[in-house]
Amino acid sequence: MKNKVAVVIGGLRGIGKAISLDLVEKGFITYATTREKNVDIHVENLVPLQMNMMDEKEVRDTFKFISEKHNAIDVIVNNAGIGYFKAFEEFDAKEWEEIFQTNVFGTFHCIQNAFPLLKEKGGRIVNISSIMTKRSLPAQSVYTASKQAVNGLGNVLAEEWYKHRIFTTNIQLGATYTDIWKGVEGFSPEDMLDVHDVARVVSFVAMTPLHVRMDEITLTPPKGVL
């Protein structure tokens, strides 16, 4: 059986790395992008690709490289994102721009370049979003606004591209334990999602036949939103 092909944007750290490895385990050839150079990872069918998603040319070149190896892809996972968390009045325009350049415009470039490869036989777009788009929290204004934009894009593409058998799933993610939380007072791994919980759900979406739409999935730990 021919391997399916996945692309994970921001796929070599934290949640993204767990997603990439789980997709490989499920039989996908997985291209995992990262800003880091000279990545040393040796896993069969996991291909690291250095790419700055804020650079349109790098994004185009990355998908050109993939298209030279495969005439189609089955799923793209938009996981990369950044955020600054502070009171709204403390933000400056440069910080707004940086967050939107990465979380919104970078995702836009990746999806647009993935479209011809998804269109070949149909596929899925998975956007890793945030529970904060459902329940507002203080000091999260710009990050939340950027994720609302990604949700809106995903919702519209679900209606525009279903005729091509391309389906979008926005995953609203609750608190998930990664290395950034180590040593932070008041945040315990037991009270948060594990990265492997997220990875299993993404793989489930990626493997589901294309006669099923899953426009939105919400994942939270048992306590709900922290």
Side-chain angles (χ1 to χ4, degrees), residues 8-225:
V8 182
I9 308 301
L12 287 179
R13 295 182 65 185
I15 295 169
K17 184 176 181 180
I19 291 170
S20 296
L21 291 172
D22 201 78
L23 286 167
V24 167
E25 186 180 312
K26 299 297 192 300
F28 285 77
I29 297 172
T30 303
Y31 293 86
T33 77
T34 177
R35 288 186 181 185
E36 298 175 16
K37 297 180 179 179
N38 304 317
V39 175
D40 186 24
I41 186 167
H42 303 283
V43 176
E44 187 177 3
N45 288 333
L46 177 59
V47 183
L49 295 175
Q50 195 278 326
M51 184 191 82
N52 178 359
M53 64 190 296
M54 295 171 64
D55 186 318
E56 292 183 51
K57 184 179 184 302
E58 284 193 22
V59 174
R60 285 196 304 271
D61 289 347
T62 295
F63 281 91
K64 183 176 183 293
F65 173 82
I66 295 170
S67 69
E68 290 169 350
K69 305 290 184 182
H70 312 276
N71 64 355
I73 64 174
D74 297 277
V75 61
I76 177 172
V77 182
N78 294 302
N79 171 72
I82 63 170
Y84 302 122
F85 306 106
K86 56 186 178 181
F88 174 76
E89 65 272 17
E90 296 175 4
F91 278 96
D92 59 39
K94 184 177 179 181
E95 290 168 327
W96 266 91
E97 184 176 343
E98 186 177 354
I99 292 171
F100 268 71
Q101 282 285 353
T102 300
N103 297 4
V104 182
F105 301 136
T107 298
F108 166 83
H109 295 313
C110 290
I111 293 175
Q112 196 169 60
N113 281 273
F115 174 68
L117 293 168
L118 290 165
K119 188 180 177 182
E120 281 296 313
K121 59 180 182 179
R124 294 191 181 275
I125 300 164
V126 180
N127 296 323
I128 303 300
S129 186
S130 172
I131 193 64
M132 286 182 282
T133 63
K134 297 291 185 182
R135 177 176 171 182
S136 300
L137 296 174
Q140 315 283 342
S141 56
V142 183
Y143 178 79
T144 300
S146 73
K147 289 300 184 179
Q148 291 280 18
V150 172
N151 286 352
L153 176 62
N155 292 338
V156 173
L157 292 182
E159 301 305 324
E160 285 190 8
W161 287 356
Y162 75 88
K163 60 188 176 185
H164 302 298
R165 298 177 73 243
I166 300 173
F167 301 105
T168 304
T169 303
N170 294 328
I171 297 182
Q172 319 301 343
L173 201 57
T176 305
Y177 192 81
T178 62
D179 287 346
I180 65 171
W181 296 105
K182 284 184 178 178
V184 178
E185 187 176 351
F187 291 92
S188 166
E190 289 75 23
D191 293 333
M192 305 171 82
L193 293 170
D194 185 88
V195 294
H196 301 291
D197 300 326
V198 183
R200 283 192 295 271
V201 172
V202 172
S203 290
F204 170 76
V205 174
M207 296 173 66
T208 298
L210 294 178
H211 64 270
V212 178
R213 261 177 79 156
M214 291 176 280
D215 291 11
E216 181 178 288
I217 297 173
T218 299
L219 298 180
T220 64
K223 288 184 178 180
V225 181

